[in-house]
Amino acid sequence: MIDISNTKHWLIEQAEKFNSSPAVLINNSTINYSELCESVSNLALHFVSKGIIENDNIAVLCGNNIEFVKTVNALWLIGAVPVPINTRNNFDEIGFQLKHANIKFLLIEKSLAEKFSQISFEKKIIINRVEQSTDKFHSSTQNSKLETRNSFHSTFYTRHSALILFTSGSSGKPKAVVHTFSSLYESVLLTDDLCKLNTKDVWLASLPLYHIGGFMIFVRALLSGAALAFPGSLNYENISTALQKYNPTYVSIVSTTLKQFLDNRINPNENLKHLFLGGGPLDEELCSSAIAKGFPIVKVYGSTETCSMISALYTEDFENKPNSAGKPLGKTKIKILDKNNRELTGRVGEIIVQSKSLFKGYYNDDEETKKKFVNGFYCTGDLGSIDNEGFLFVQSRKTEIIISGGENISTKEVEDAIKSCESVIDAFVFGIEDETWGEAVYAVAASNKNINERIILEHLRNKIASYKIPKKIFLLEKIPHTDLGKVKKEELLKLLNLNVH
């Protein structure tokens, strides 16, 4: 069970209560809560010396490692707001996000400095591992260390913005989702309701920390006084090795990784309590095979706006409800509305959610924030239904999002990038079920001039991140549309000889 007062900075409180308990497991080292807190305090003082102050929005370009955890905690001590940036984004995408979120400083992990050296930003700070591990800004006395910790206490209050995360939307431009310390805390309570968390748990950092699914792994470990274990990287080989090396109790993965587990005959580790599975459409046969092999699969549903999981399907419910996203966690309320905002029972409509874990709003976009709420419920943009036993079934996304390998990809963003290619007059992007990635990105481009797929692909490499680039681009003279301008998808797929459900 979660036992934290939530009245002071989380890391400081946990360091006082669990000073010698493992906080981070990495390579062959264990870092306890006291050691982590001291290192974070040093880093916070370093950031202050560089000019970072309370309420600054600070972009963080960092890999899945302890530097990310230290950096976010250090910013929290100052009262600044971390804005994790997807390290797979290209320079144009990052540039938009830096401007939109009113970023004051850009923090770049030293190992990524060369990769992002072309980003033009006035105030950059390179996160140096050496700086984080020294007592350069500290007196060596215990009293001085305690004074340094206490100097940050006053900046903590639960309604303070704690996180800004960018997510793809139907508009094609990512939205900046703002979470408070309160919404992060409430999200952990929902997980606690599901798992009954304790200090002996080990959480594997098995998803990107710049996505809400990965970020909340770190927050759950911190708030429960548990250990966070880092695999060498997020590839299948390192995650499977980490299962045996760290013997984690909780692991979150996408279906791509689960399939690799089964294909390579990986067995669940002994202490594994739950294997959380999310990130898009899930194959019923894949889940059933994994359960038969002993993996304690818990299928979860949530989004950046809901602060990760808000409903869950337990392993024991798979046999009767294999296609369900489970039931709401804790006191979360989920309803289904029709287009006139009338509640539906047993029929498909838009999924709406009421929860204390909901986001504060979209940064710098009050109009879009207002559109997303109806009587205190967040309108997810997803279509689904609830059966007479209270199980949620997610049918599809109302907004055109393709989820490939756990990454959200806006079809409109990719379409706009294709249309910006000279001689392309129209484009349509869609997802096709894929064994490896869950969904793969495909596209159709229309042109009345001499153009080929290679030219468009070369153009896209300078426009969007590599994971958003279509696996295949079909070329047509004209894409069929309705009188209202909507693409006739079924007719188009027939033209392409594709059978897509």
Side-chain angles (χ1 to χ4, degrees), residues 454-472:
R454 181 186 58 79
I455 293 173
I456 299 173
L457 290 174
E458 284 295 327
H459 174 79
L460 292 181
R461 289 189 183 99
N462 297 317
K463 284 288 183 180
I464 54 177
S466 58
Y467 66 90
K468 300 176 183 177
I469 294 176
K471 305 296 182 189
K472 172 70 180 174

Side-chain angles (χ1 to χ4, degrees), residues 110 116 119 130 139 160 169 194 201 210 239 264 277 282 321 360 379 426 430 452 499:
K110 188 175 183 180
F116 294 107
I119 295 177
V130 176
S139 164
H160 191 289
L194 170 67
D201 290 331
Y210 52 71
I239 291 178
N264 291 277
L277 197 59
L282 299 176
K321 307 283 183 178
K360 182 180 180 179
C379 302
D426 197 6
F430 55 97
N452 58 44
N499 183 20

Side-chain angles (χ1 to χ4, degrees), residues 340-356:
N340 296 314
N341 292 332
R342 293 175 299 200
E343 188 172 355
L344 299 173
T345 302
R347 289 186 291 160
V348 174
E350 183 173 7
I351 300 168
I352 65 170
V353 177
Q354 185 181 75
S355 173
K356 289 183 178 180

Side-chain angles (χ1 to χ4, degrees), residues 453-501:
E453 183 182 21
R454 181 186 58 79
I455 293 173
I456 299 173
L457 290 174
E458 284 295 327
H459 174 79
L460 292 181
R461 289 189 183 99
N462 297 317
K463 284 288 183 180
I464 54 177
S466 58
Y467 66 90
K468 300 176 183 177
I469 294 176
K471 305 296 182 189
K472 172 70 180 174
I473 300 177
F474 299 94
L475 296 173
L476 292 176
E477 288 188 7
K478 185 178 181 181
I479 295 174
H481 288 265
T482 66
D483 291 339
L484 296 177
K486 185 177 179 181
V487 172
K488 296 179 180 178
K489 187 175 179 180
E490 290 186 9
E491 182 179 328
L492 176 61
L493 295 178
K494 284 181 181 178
L495 283 174
L496 303 173
N497 293 317
L498 292 175
N499 183 20
V500 181
H501 300 286

Side-chain angles (χ1 to χ4, degrees), residues 302-371:
S303 66
T304 306
E305 288 89 344
T306 65
C307 203
S308 193
M309 60 180 81
I310 50 165
S311 76
L313 183 74
Y314 293 87
T315 308
E316 55 267 29
D317 291 321
F318 262 93
E319 186 175 351
N320 295 323
K321 307 283 183 178
N323 297 315
S324 172
K327 292 184 176 181
L329 294 172
K331 295 183 179 179
T332 299
K333 293 181 180 178
I334 299 178
K335 295 181 179 180
I336 308 296
L337 295 185
D338 66 12
K339 62 183 179 180
N340 296 314
N341 292 332
R342 293 175 299 200
E343 188 172 355
L344 299 173
T345 302
R347 289 186 291 160
V348 174
E350 183 173 7
I351 300 168
I352 65 170
V353 177
Q354 185 181 75
S355 173
K356 289 183 178 180
S357 71
L358 288 178
F359 70 127
K360 182 180 180 179
Y362 295 116
Y363 187 84
N364 203 21
D365 199 343
D366 292 339
E367 184 178 346
E368 186 64 24
T369 301
K370 289 176 184 176
K371 288 180 184 177

Side-chain angles (χ1 to χ4, degrees), residues 146-354:
L146 289 174
E147 286 173 8
T148 303
R149 291 184 185 181
N150 291 335
S151 69
F152 292 115
H153 277 207
S154 61
T155 61
F156 183 83
Y157 53 99
T158 59
R159 295 306 299 170
H160 191 289
S161 296
L163 175 70
I164 297 176
L165 271 185
F166 280 91
T167 182
S168 298
S170 58
S171 65
K173 287 292 184 184
K175 299 181 182 70
V177 176
V178 183
H179 277 288
T180 63
F181 285 103
S182 177
S183 59
L184 299 183
Y185 172 76
E186 293 293 341
S187 176
V188 176
L189 291 185
L190 293 182
T191 310
D192 190 32
D193 180 72
L194 170 67
C195 302
K196 304 299 182 266
L197 306 176
N198 67 72
T199 59
K200 302 298 182 184
D201 290 331
V202 175
W203 289 82
L204 188 64
S206 49
L207 294 175
L209 292 166
Y210 52 71
H211 284 325
I212 194 66
F215 192 89
M216 289 310 297
I217 294 172
F218 136 59
V219 176
R220 291 173 200 133
L222 176 60
L223 265 65
S224 56
L228 180 66
F230 284 99
S233 73
L234 295 181
N235 64 32
Y236 147 74
E237 289 85 0
N238 279 298
I239 291 178
S240 59
T241 298
L243 291 183
Q244 307 310 317
K245 182 174 183 177
Y246 299 118
N247 202 10
T249 44
Y250 299 109
V251 177
S252 296
I253 58 173
V254 294
S255 57
T256 305
T257 307
L258 179 61
K259 186 177 186 304
Q260 290 173 314
F261 282 175
L262 297 185
D263 289 346
N264 291 277
R265 300 180 180 179
I266 300 298
N267 294 314
N269 56 292
E270 184 180 353
N271 286 348
L272 188 61
K273 294 180 182 177
H274 291 315
L275 186 73
F276 298 114
L277 197 59
L282 299 176
D283 182 77
E284 179 184 337
E285 186 177 338
L286 175 67
C287 293
S288 297
S289 297
I291 291 172
K293 192 162 185 177
F295 282 101
I297 301 292
V298 176
K299 188 160 64 167
V300 296
Y301 168 74
S303 66
T304 306
E305 288 89 344
T306 65
C307 203
S308 193
M309 60 180 81
I310 50 165
S311 76
L313 183 74
Y314 293 87
T315 308
E316 55 267 29
D317 291 321
F318 262 93
E319 186 175 351
N320 295 323
K321 307 283 183 178
N323 297 315
S324 172
K327 292 184 176 181
L329 294 172
K331 295 183 179 179
T332 299
K333 293 181 180 178
I334 299 178
K335 295 181 179 180
I336 308 296
L337 295 185
D338 66 12
K339 62 183 179 180
N340 296 314
N341 292 332
R342 293 175 299 200
E343 188 172 355
L344 299 173
T345 302
R347 289 186 291 160
V348 174
E350 183 173 7
I351 300 168
I352 65 170
V353 177
Q354 185 181 75

Side-chain angles (χ1 to χ4, degrees), residues 79-94:
V81 184
V83 186
I85 303 294
N86 188 332
T87 56
R88 299 175 68 186
N89 283 351
N90 65 28
F91 298 146
D92 288 342
E93 292 167 323
I94 292 173

